[in-house]
């Protein structure tokens, strides 16, 4: 707990991520909101974290300027979303897989469900190789982000077996193509289940 309020660089990075996440939520609810209002709401929502991360007003102004272009990119992306309904941070539990998770955004369009996971960190700038049993993908998505998105697809497929499910990673700071689709890969699903089972076995052995 103490480290959370003493490591300046880590706190600033965490604060930046929290502000961007809150801006995204606000844009989903109100596409007409502006950067100034959204930034102010975000720091008012995290007063202690803001004070710990920004030692003076200059740091806060610098963060404000840094996040402004990110906000504009997020707004541009949100305006292009075409969902009938949206759900912010819904939580799901899959008793079949023994998994649970909270999605950043779930969008509903006809018989389709789209999960979007927002990332405020650095995005890949070149294609990364991602292998399934009978297919190889070249996509600009980090492997750990792919695993997270596929796990969310597993949750949705359990609860909504009759709906088509899709997953994307939204890299807020990406200069091009910020919203990137993630393939629904069988091999990754099996790896997630093996990892989950390994964790359960480890925890049982510790008790």
């Amino acid at each position: 707990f103490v480290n959370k309020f003493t490591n300046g660089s880590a706190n600033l990075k965490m604060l930046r991520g929290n502000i961007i996440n809150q801006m995204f939520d606000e844009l989903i609810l109100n596409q007409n909101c502006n950067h100034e209002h959204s930034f102010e709401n975000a720091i008012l929502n995290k007063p202690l974290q803001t004070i710990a991360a920004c030692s003076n007003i200059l740091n806060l102004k610098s963060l404000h300027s840094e996040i402004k272009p990110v906000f504009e990119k997020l707004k541009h992306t949100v305006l292009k979303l075409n969902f009938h309904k949206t759900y912010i941070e819904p939580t799901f539990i899959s008793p079949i897989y023994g998994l649970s998770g909270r999605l950043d955004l779930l969008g509903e369009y006809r018989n389709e469900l789209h999960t979007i996971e927002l990332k405020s960190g650095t995005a890949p700038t070149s294609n990364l190789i991602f292998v399934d049993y009978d297919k190889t993908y070249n996509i600009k998505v980090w492997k750990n982000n792919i695993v997270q998105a596929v796990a969310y697809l597993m949750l949705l497929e359990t609860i909504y077996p009759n709906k088509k499910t899709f997953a994307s990673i939204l890299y807020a700071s990406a200069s091009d193509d910020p919203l990137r689709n993630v393939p629904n890969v069988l091999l990754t699903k099996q790896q997630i289940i093996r990892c989950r089972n390994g964790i359960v076995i480890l925890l049982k052995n510790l008790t």
Side-chain angles (χ1 to χ4, degrees):
F1 178 80
V2 174
N3 289 338
K4 187 175 181 180
F5 294 98
T6 56
N7 189 335
S9 60
N11 283 334
L12 190 59
K13 184 177 180 181
M14 186 181 299
L15 176 63
R16 180 182 183 275
N18 286 337
I19 290 174
I20 290 172
N21 272 275
Q22 183 163 327
M23 284 180 163
F24 180 62
D25 293 348
E26 192 166 349
L27 280 166
I28 295 297
L29 296 172
N30 177 19
Q31 296 180 357
N32 295 318
C33 71
N34 59 55
H35 172 253
E36 300 297 331
H37 182 267
S38 187
F39 184 85
E40 181 179 348
N41 284 345
I43 62 174
L44 289 175
N45 192 48
K46 298 284 185 179
L48 293 179
Q49 189 181 23
T50 301
I51 293 170
C54 299
S55 57
N56 55 61
I57 192 63
L58 292 178
N59 288 342
L60 188 59
K61 287 182 177 180
S62 176
L63 184 62
H64 174 274
S65 299
E66 178 190 346
I67 289 179
K68 186 173 183 178
V70 177
F71 175 86
E72 297 303 330
K73 291 176 186 176
L74 281 177
K75 187 169 187 177
H76 180 72
T77 301
V78 168
L79 288 172
K80 292 193 297 182
L81 297 178
N82 184 28
F83 299 135
H84 293 154
K85 294 181 181 178
T86 54
Y87 308 90
I88 297 173
E89 296 189 348
T91 300
F92 296 99
I93 299 174
S94 169
I96 294 176
Y97 295 122
L99 299 173
S100 64
R102 186 177 66 182
L103 287 58
D104 282 343
L105 180 69
L106 179 64
E108 187 175 356
Y109 179 76
R110 295 180 180 174
N111 196 44
E112 299 175 357
L113 293 174
H114 297 254
T115 173
I116 297 178
E117 185 65 17
L118 177 66
K119 299 297 179 184
S120 59
T122 305
T125 55
S126 58
N127 286 333
L128 303 175
I129 298 175
F130 190 67
V131 179
D132 196 8
Y133 283 111
D134 57 352
K135 191 172 183 179
T136 299
Y137 299 90
N138 292 286
I139 54 177
K140 295 180 181 178
V141 180
W142 299 120
K143 176 64 180 294
N144 58 321
N145 296 160
I146 292 174
V147 172
Q148 182 181 10
V150 172
Y152 288 165
L153 287 174
M154 294 168 68
L155 291 174
L156 293 177
E157 289 167 354
T158 302
I159 301 165
Y160 304 101
N162 296 322
K163 290 185 177 290
K164 297 178 181 178
T165 56
F166 303 89
S168 300
I169 301 295
L170 175 54
Y171 291 107
S173 301
S175 57
D176 65 310
D177 189 26
L179 188 61
R180 304 176 183 182
N181 294 329
V182 173
N184 195 348
V185 179
L186 175 61
L187 178 60
T188 302
K189 290 179 178 179
Q190 293 172 340
Q191 292 171 336
I192 291 170
I193 294 171
R194 282 198 295 269
C195 180
R196 180 264 177 200
N197 291 344
I199 292 172
V200 171
I201 292 171
L202 178 61
L203 290 175
K204 285 188 175 181
N205 289 338
L206 291 175
T207 57

